[in-house]
PDB file of all heavy atoms in Angstrom:
ATOM      1  N   GLY T 211     128.319 100.339  92.479  1.00  0.00           N
ATOM      2  CA  GLY T 211     127.905  99.686  93.720  1.00  0.00           C
ATOM      3  C   GLY T 211     128.969  98.764  94.283  1.00  0.00           C
ATOM      4  O   GLY T 211     130.164  98.999  94.152  1.00  0.00           O
ATOM      5  N   LEU T 212     128.534  97.674  94.890  1.00  0.00           N
ATOM      6  CA  LEU T 212     129.467  96.709  95.476  1.00  0.00           C
ATOM      7  C   LEU T 212     130.427  96.154  94.428  1.00  0.00           C
ATOM      8  O   LEU T 212     131.574  95.801  94.721  1.00  0.00           O
ATOM      9  CB  LEU T 212     128.680  95.557  96.108  1.00  0.00           C
ATOM     10  CG  LEU T 212     129.502  94.462  96.787  1.00  0.00           C
ATOM     11  CD1 LEU T 212     130.149  94.995  98.064  1.00  0.00           C
ATOM     12  CD2 LEU T 212     128.635  93.251  97.101  1.00  0.00           C
ATOM     13  N   MET T 213     129.949  96.099  93.178  1.00  0.00           N
ATOM     14  CA  MET T 213     130.749  95.498  92.112  1.00  0.00           C
ATOM     15  C   MET T 213     132.007  96.316  91.796  1.00  0.00           C
ATOM     16  O   MET T 213     132.905  95.831  91.116  1.00  0.00           O
ATOM     17  CB  MET T 213     129.894  95.319  90.848  1.00  0.00           C
ATOM     18  CG  MET T 213     128.802  94.291  91.010  1.00  0.00           C
ATOM     19  SD  MET T 213     129.480  92.664  91.431  1.00  0.00           S
ATOM     20  CE  MET T 213     128.456  92.223  92.829  1.00  0.00           C
ATOM     21  N   VAL T 214     132.057  97.566  92.271  1.00  0.00           N
ATOM     22  CA  VAL T 214     133.265  98.364  92.062  1.00  0.00           C
ATOM     23  C   VAL T 214     134.427  97.714  92.817  1.00  0.00           C
ATOM     24  O   VAL T 214     135.502  97.471  92.258  1.00  0.00           O
ATOM     25  CB  VAL T 214     133.047  99.820  92.537  1.00  0.00           C
ATOM     26  CG1 VAL T 214     134.353 100.608  92.469  1.00  0.00           C
ATOM     27  CG2 VAL T 214     131.963 100.489  91.695  1.00  0.00           C
ATOM     28  N   SER T 215     134.192  97.407  94.088  1.00  0.00           N
ATOM     29  CA  SER T 215     135.285  96.806  94.869  1.00  0.00           C
ATOM     30  C   SER T 215     135.609  95.401  94.349  1.00  0.00           C
ATOM     31  O   SER T 215     136.776  94.993  94.317  1.00  0.00           O
ATOM     32  CB  SER T 215     134.919  96.765  96.355  1.00  0.00           C
ATOM     33  OG  SER T 215     133.718  96.067  96.547  1.00  0.00           O
ATOM     34  N   TYR T 216     134.583  94.678  93.919  1.00  0.00           N
ATOM     35  CA  TYR T 216     134.822  93.344  93.353  1.00  0.00           C
ATOM     36  C   TYR T 216     135.639  93.458  92.055  1.00  0.00           C
ATOM     37  O   TYR T 216     136.531  92.649  91.789  1.00  0.00           O
ATOM     38  CB  TYR T 216     133.492  92.637  93.073  1.00  0.00           C
ATOM     39  CG  TYR T 216     132.812  92.062  94.291  1.00  0.00           C
ATOM     40  CD1 TYR T 216     133.179  92.430  95.589  1.00  0.00           C
ATOM     41  CD2 TYR T 216     131.781  91.125  94.152  1.00  0.00           C
ATOM     42  CE1 TYR T 216     132.535  91.902  96.692  1.00  0.00           C
ATOM     43  CE2 TYR T 216     131.136  90.583  95.251  1.00  0.00           C
ATOM     44  CZ  TYR T 216     131.508  90.974  96.512  1.00  0.00           C
ATOM     45  OH  TYR T 216     130.874  90.439  97.612  1.00  0.00           O
ATOM     46  N   SER T 217     135.325  94.466  91.258  1.00  0.00           N
ATOM     47  CA  SER T 217     136.046  94.639  89.991  1.00  0.00           C
ATOM     48  C   SER T 217     137.494  95.039  90.243  1.00  0.00           C
ATOM     49  O   SER T 217     138.403  94.629  89.510  1.00  0.00           O
ATOM     50  CB  SER T 217     135.348  95.702  89.125  1.00  0.00           C
ATOM     51  OG  SER T 217     134.071  95.243  88.748  1.00  0.00           O
ATOM     52  N   LEU T 218     137.705  95.865  91.283  1.00  0.00           N
ATOM     53  CA  LEU T 218     139.079  96.258  91.614  1.00  0.00           C
ATOM     54  C   LEU T 218     139.893  95.042  92.061  1.00  0.00           C
ATOM     55  O   LEU T 218     141.069  94.913  91.729  1.00  0.00           O
ATOM     56  CB  LEU T 218     139.064  97.344  92.695  1.00  0.00           C
ATOM     57  CG  LEU T 218     138.595  98.730  92.200  1.00  0.00           C
ATOM     58  CD1 LEU T 218     138.364  99.671  93.369  1.00  0.00           C
ATOM     59  CD2 LEU T 218     139.602  99.328  91.215  1.00  0.00           C
ATOM     60  N   LYS T 219     139.246  94.151  92.812  1.00  0.00           N
ATOM     61  CA  LYS T 219     139.926  92.909  93.218  1.00  0.00           C
ATOM     62  C   LYS T 219     140.298  92.089  91.992  1.00  0.00           C
ATOM     63  O   LYS T 219     141.418  91.549  91.894  1.00  0.00           O
ATOM     64  CB  LYS T 219     139.014  92.071  94.125  1.00  0.00           C
ATOM     65  CG  LYS T 219     139.105  92.466  95.588  1.00  0.00           C
ATOM     66  CD  LYS T 219     138.264  91.518  96.442  1.00  0.00           C
ATOM     67  CE  LYS T 219     137.932  92.197  97.765  1.00  0.00           C
ATOM     68  NZ  LYS T 219     136.723  91.692  98.394  1.00  0.00           N
ATOM     69  N   ALA T 220     139.361  91.977  91.079  1.00  0.00           N
ATOM     70  CA  ALA T 220     139.611  91.210  89.857  1.00  0.00           C
ATOM     71  C   ALA T 220     140.742  91.850  89.050  1.00  0.00           C
ATOM     72  O   ALA T 220     141.629  91.156  88.520  1.00  0.00           O
ATOM     73  CB  ALA T 220     138.329  91.131  89.018  1.00  0.00           C
ATOM     74  N   ALA T 221     140.735  93.185  89.004  1.00  0.00           N
ATOM     75  CA  ALA T 221     141.769  93.896  88.249  1.00  0.00           C
ATOM     76  C   ALA T 221     143.143  93.656  88.853  1.00  0.00           C
ATOM     77  O   ALA T 221     144.138  93.468  88.140  1.00  0.00           O
ATOM     78  CB  ALA T 221     141.447  95.392  88.211  1.00  0.00           C
TER      79      ALA T 221
END
Side-chain angles (χ1 to χ4, degrees):
Chain T
L212 181 70
M213 292 301 131
V214 173
S215 57
Y216 282 15
S217 295
L218 287 169
K219 274 185 201 155

